Amino acid sequence: MLRTAVQVGGESASYLTVERDGPVVLLLHGTYWSRVWLPVLGRLAQAGLRPVAVDLPGLGRSGGELTLETAAVPALAEWVARFTAALKVSGPVAVAGHDIGGGVAQHLLARGRLEVSRLALLDSVTYDSWPVPSVARFRDPEAVAATTADEFLAARRRVVAAALAGAATEERITDYLAPWSAARVRRSRMAMAGAADSRYTRDLVPALQRSATPKLLVWGEDDGFQKVEYAERFASEIPQTTLVRVPRAGHIPMENAPGRVARALADFFTA
């Protein structure tokens, strides 16, 4: 397991990977950071894949700072395309996205920003499922300006604990919160929340319905943020889609059932 970085647009783009030969699987986070993929990275590598879990700009361990413009899903998709080029990855690439990262992944496929060979979505935003209330409040500039660092961290602690569900331990929650100790990263997170807009997924539906690219949904059945009913709708309306439900798992099923999730992803990406 290795954390390293490349330069994208003059800023450091940090990512977790397992250095090995094999097809690249690009792993995109949403409102958290690359930490969400840590439980499955090793297992994906053991399956012969080269997992690359990137921190989006201004978030996690990456440099830069998001604005309302650069935090929108289309802009993040363009950034991911530049990141992929910086890695010198060419040709078709497999992509997995969690949360808002799933919205970015859908955009990459539907708008042709990358040649996506296979698409996996894990507890992703879809249709009009977002922004959820804890995100939508930051669409109000006055709410952003009035939020202190302590208030932000306290709110994120509650959200992280709920998202982790049965996997929530004090050590794990603290680990997830670590990047938000930096004001720049807190501002980037609030920019991503402020830019959240369901039209970025609603507008993709016609293109996704025309797509013959294989798609996999992996979903925690107990997710209180992105309900499994949205995954069921997506699987019924979007062709070439398979849904894997993860019992007793919340919004981050990689933490609740790492073996089951990794196995589903590995089988899908090596098929």
Side-chain angles (χ1 to χ4, degrees):
M1 200 87 62
L2 172 69
R3 179 169 289 281
T4 186
V6 293
Q7 291 291 304
V8 179
E11 296 284 357
S12 174
S14 178
Y15 63 98
L16 281 171
T17 189
V18 179
E19 286 291 358
R20 57 157 300 134
D21 293 331
V24 168
V25 176
L26 191 59
L27 305 171
L28 306 177
H29 69 84
T31 59
Y32 304 96
W33 57 300
S34 58
R35 172 68 178 78
V36 297
W37 298 107
L38 188 60
V40 301
L41 283 183
R43 291 176 173 92
L44 294 179
Q46 289 170 4
L49 300 164
R50 182 188 167 200
V52 174
V54 64
D55 285 328
L56 295 171
L59 300 169
R61 306 301 185 194
S62 283
E65 181 175 333
L66 290 174
T67 65
L68 288 174
E69 291 73 26
T70 59
V73 160
L76 290 173
E78 293 293 347
W79 184 91
V80 170
R82 294 197 300 274
F83 167 77
T84 306
L87 286 185
K88 296 181 168 45
V89 174
S90 59
V93 61
V95 180
H98 175 253
D99 191 84
I100 291 177
V104 176
Q106 291 170 64
H107 197 91
L108 289 168
L109 171 62
R111 296 294 185 250
R113 297 299 183 257
L114 282 181
E115 188 179 355
V116 178
S117 58
R118 287 179 170 256
L119 175 71
L121 302 176
L122 292 84
D123 296 74
S124 167
V125 299
T126 57
Y127 300 106
D128 61 351
S129 72
W130 64 304
V132 298
S134 61
V135 171
R137 64 184 294 259
F138 291 115
R139 298 183 72 178
D140 180 358
E142 291 185 2
V144 172
T147 302
T148 68
D150 287 345
E151 290 170 339
F152 177 92
L153 291 171
R156 294 311 295 164
R157 172 175 286 275
R158 291 191 295 270
V159 169
V160 168
L164 288 169
T169 64
E170 183 57 32
E171 180 180 6
R172 195 166 281 135
I173 292 169
T174 299
D175 201 19
Y176 268 81
L177 291 174
W180 291 318
S181 62
R184 170 185 62 85
V185 181
R186 292 195 300 272
R187 291 193 298 267
S188 291
R189 168 67 188 89
M190 286 190 282
M192 175 181 266
D197 192 328
S198 66
R199 68 190 168 97
Y200 294 132
T201 44
R202 288 184 283 110
D203 290 353
L204 299 178
V205 171
L208 291 171
Q209 289 175 328
R210 294 191 298 269
S211 169
T213 300
K215 305 167 194 72
L216 173 70
L217 307 182
V218 180
W219 229 268
E221 288 190 334
D222 298 334
D223 188 348
F225 298 95
Q226 296 299 321
K227 304 288 189 179
V228 71
E229 288 79 8
Y230 278 98
E232 293 168 342
R233 177 184 172 188
F234 192 102
S236 69
E237 294 181 356
I238 307 300
Q240 302 296 317
T241 299
T242 301
L243 170 60
V244 173
R245 302 167 64 111
V246 186
R248 297 177 298 282
H251 185 56
I252 311 178
M254 299 80 88
E255 295 283 6
N256 302 120
R260 183 184 180 97
V261 172
R263 191 161 52 250
L265 291 174
D267 289 348
F268 176 66
F269 287 129
T270 59

